[in-house]
Amino acid sequence: MVDYPQQLALASIIRFYSEPARALQKTFELVLLRPQGLFKLVTATFALAMPIDVAGKLVVSLCLIAIAPCVLLLCRRTGRPGWYAFLALAITYNTAFYWGFVDNLIAYPLVLLGAWLADRSFDEPFGWRAWSSLAALGVLFYAVHLEFLLVLVGALGWLALARRPSPRQFIVWLSSMLPGLAVGMGTLAWAHVHAATVMTGYQQRLAAERTRFAPLPEKLGRLPDLLFGAYSEGTQFLLMAMLLAVILVLYFWRIREASEAGEADRSGHWLYRTRFATLGGWVFFLFLILPDFTTSYMVCDRLVPLAFMLLIPGLPIAQARQLRLAATLTGGLVLLQLLQTATSFFSFAAESEGLRELLDQTEPGQALAGLIYEPGATAWTEPAVLEHFPAFYQVFKGGRVHFSFVQFFNSPVAYRPGQNYEDALLAEWNEWNPQKFIYPRHAGHYRYFLVRGGPEHLAAAFGPYLRECRVKKIGRWYLVERLPGG
């Protein structure tokens, strides 16, 4: 999970903000009303009763576990077999997980829950209770993810149109999203107007980068990686083949009679019958047309897992014999994915061990910079999962790190005026560009350096100045400490 250490570091600042040894108050201030802070706030709250790293893992685990039950609720809405929900379980370790997009991991089950709530409410007398529930969910997305708030609004709009409502009924249903849109979009508009004061120089430089669109064949070729992870052994392609086999079995031998599909009384209308299949298709269409990067953020890839999750309750029901075959293939798919995931996790744990032991030897409340020459792992071809591991110093010891997600407007933590000296330094080098690090120019701001690589990388970074430092090594990790007077 690439971004996870940074997200956990923000949660730790909130949790341990008042501890003097961590020296957080002199550098940071809390701005808890900023958007997309739910993961950090919940994790910091859980950390009152458990270690911060355990709290973070618990929150992520709950998000992953919640996906299958939410898909099961949708399957019951459409009369699909309950085991269809296992198809969602097979893609829980998707691109959003490996990139550490924890806000998206929270958003997935909430979008599914919102689709279920809307689908049920639109088939019943729509009163204030249903309106308030949907409105509360929309407002909650202010603290979850604003991009997925728009996805939720679109999903509710499509589920409403599938019922061919009168204009008045359609407006009433969709008005439940107005509070969330007002809060979320109003905040983004305010941030845009006041960008010079609320956005750091680093984020403004990102916003100036060009938007990039990938060719359609390239996007389609990434689908196995986006759904299952980019395994070095290529297991994702076998998993994709098994998934396609399940879908083909269900479609080729599908039961055509609507009554046998268990639909509601409105099932005679094809748009209503196919509302989730087409909804998944619309979200997938967004993946195809949206840019890969805009203001240097990954935009479209994280939509692919959600598109498939929404498609599941719209899959057809096959004849009995073929349905059993599809269920067997699904069981094999889930087992193979979990086996591959567990094997990769064990491999990565052995490869990255030693970091915590080194960090335990540091003093709290200091400044640390990372020089990550080897950001990848053998288990996956991408992403570079070690890129933000220097942030674990801030998780366990406080202080400050060279690059931090505090640079972003949607962080619930901000630098105090005059404390963000990284604005100038980040324009010259960062953890994932250690080759640009120049010891005489940059080292004076930090007491510790966390290096991932070999002796040749250590020599390249510090050269003759290494004699002014204390070096400790475990595995491929080096902890370099500048000595007094160095």
Side-chain angles (χ1 to χ4, degrees), residues 1-5 56-57 59-65 67 91-106 108 225-229 231 301-302 305 309 337 341-342 344-345 348 380 382-383 385:
M1 301 182 71
V2 180
D3 289 356
Y4 176 74
K57 292 176 181 177
V59 175
V60 171
S61 299
L62 291 175
C63 294
L64 298 179
I65 292 171
I67 289 174
I91 61 169
T92 51
Y93 292 104
N94 52 56
T95 185
F97 175 85
Y98 286 108
W99 278 99
F101 297 150
V102 292
D103 299 328
N104 295 151
L105 297 182
I106 298 176
Y108 287 156
D225 294 351
L226 300 181
L227 289 174
F228 300 107
Y231 297 115
D301 287 355
R302 60 190 80 187
M309 294 171 192
Q337 168 68 316
T341 301
S344 301
F345 284 0
F348 178 70
W380 307 282
E382 63 173 5
V385 292

Side-chain angles (χ1 to χ4, degrees), residues 200-217:
T200 64
Y202 176 81
Q203 190 169 15
Q204 292 180 50
R205 289 195 298 274
L206 288 184
E209 294 186 7
R210 293 181 58 186
T211 297
R212 183 172 73 83
F213 290 84
L216 182 59

Side-chain angles (χ1 to χ4, degrees), residues 132-469:
S132 301
S133 299
L134 290 172
L137 185 62
V139 172
L140 179 62
F141 269 80
Y142 173 83
V144 177
H145 201 282
L146 295 179
E147 178 187 342
F148 277 71
L149 169 62
L150 299 179
V151 175
L152 177 65
V153 173
L156 266 62
W158 182 251
L159 293 175
L161 288 174
R163 289 159 167 83
R164 298 185 295 183
S166 65
R168 178 181 179 278
Q169 184 66 75
F170 182 78
I171 292 173
V172 170
W173 286 346
L174 266 293
S175 67
S176 61
M177 291 291 100
L178 290 179
L181 286 172
V183 174
M185 298 304 103
T187 301
L188 287 181
W190 176 83
H192 179 76
V193 172
H194 298 85
T197 56
V198 301
M199 294 185 182
T200 64
Y202 176 81
Q203 190 169 15
Q204 292 180 50
R205 289 195 298 274
L206 288 184
E209 294 186 7
R210 293 181 58 186
T211 297
R212 183 172 73 83
F213 290 84
L216 182 59
E218 179 184 327
K219 283 192 172 186
L220 295 176
R222 293 204 310 264
L223 288 179
D225 294 351
L226 300 181
L227 289 174
F228 300 107
Y231 297 115
S232 301
E233 300 91 341
T235 313
Q236 66 271 26
F237 297 104
L238 175 58
L239 293 167
M240 190 70 187
M242 296 176 68
L243 177 60
L244 291 176
V246 172
I247 296 175
L248 288 175
V249 168
L250 294 178
Y251 270 97
F252 190 76
W253 285 283
R254 67 185 181 274
I255 299 174
R256 298 180 182 274
E257 292 78 8
S259 60
E260 295 182 36
E263 290 288 358
D265 292 338
R266 291 173 177 245
S267 60
H269 179 42
W270 70 270
L271 191 59
Y272 179 81
R273 294 199 310 269
T274 62
R275 62 194 185 280
F276 285 105
T278 48
L279 176 57
W282 280 120
V283 177
F284 184 74
F285 180 70
L286 287 176
F287 158 71
L288 296 179
I289 65 172
L290 286 176
D292 286 54
F293 290 91
T294 179
T295 64
S296 205
Y297 298 116
M298 297 175 66
V299 175
C300 65
D301 287 355
R302 60 190 80 187
L303 293 174
V304 174
L306 179 62
F308 182 72
M309 294 171 192
L310 290 169
L311 171 67
I312 293 172
L315 292 174
I317 301 176
Q319 300 173 26
R321 182 178 178 181
Q322 286 73 27
L323 197 62
R324 289 194 295 270
L325 173 60
T328 303
L329 288 172
T330 299
L333 171 65
V334 173
L335 288 176
L336 179 58
Q337 168 68 316
L338 293 180
L339 177 62
Q340 177 64 70
T341 301
T343 302
S344 301
F345 284 0
F346 283 122
S347 172
F348 178 70
E351 188 176 0
S352 59
E353 67 179 349
L355 174 64
R356 182 64 187 271
E357 289 81 358
L358 284 178
L359 294 181
D360 285 344
Q361 302 177 51
T362 61
E363 293 186 12
Q366 304 299 311
L368 177 143
L371 299 167
I372 309 301
Y373 288 91
E374 297 177 352
T378 57
W380 307 282
T381 58
E382 63 173 5
V385 292
L386 297 173
E387 212 165 66
H388 293 305
F389 265 46
F392 277 119
Y393 172 79
Q394 197 166 54
V395 171
F396 299 117
K397 297 289 186 172
R400 64 188 304 162
V401 292
H402 174 56
F403 176 76
S404 170
F405 276 16
V406 178
Q407 296 289 345
F408 297 113
F409 156 72
N410 56 3
S411 164
V413 179
Y415 287 109
R416 290 190 180 277
Q419 289 297 313
N420 186 17
Y421 57 74
E422 280 99 341
D423 266 357
L425 292 174
L426 283 175
E428 300 181 9
W429 72 285
N430 49 46
E431 279 86 344
W432 50 97
N433 286 311
Q435 298 83 3
K436 298 182 179 180
F437 172 73
I438 303 174
Y439 186 91
R441 182 177 179 85
H442 302 131
H445 295 279
Y446 307 97
R447 177 175 176 181
Y448 296 109
F449 299 89
L450 184 67
V451 182
R452 173 73 181 187
E456 68 280 10
H457 299 128
L458 199 66
F462 296 94
Y465 302 99
L466 198 60
R467 62 176 178 268
E468 302 175 358
C469 305

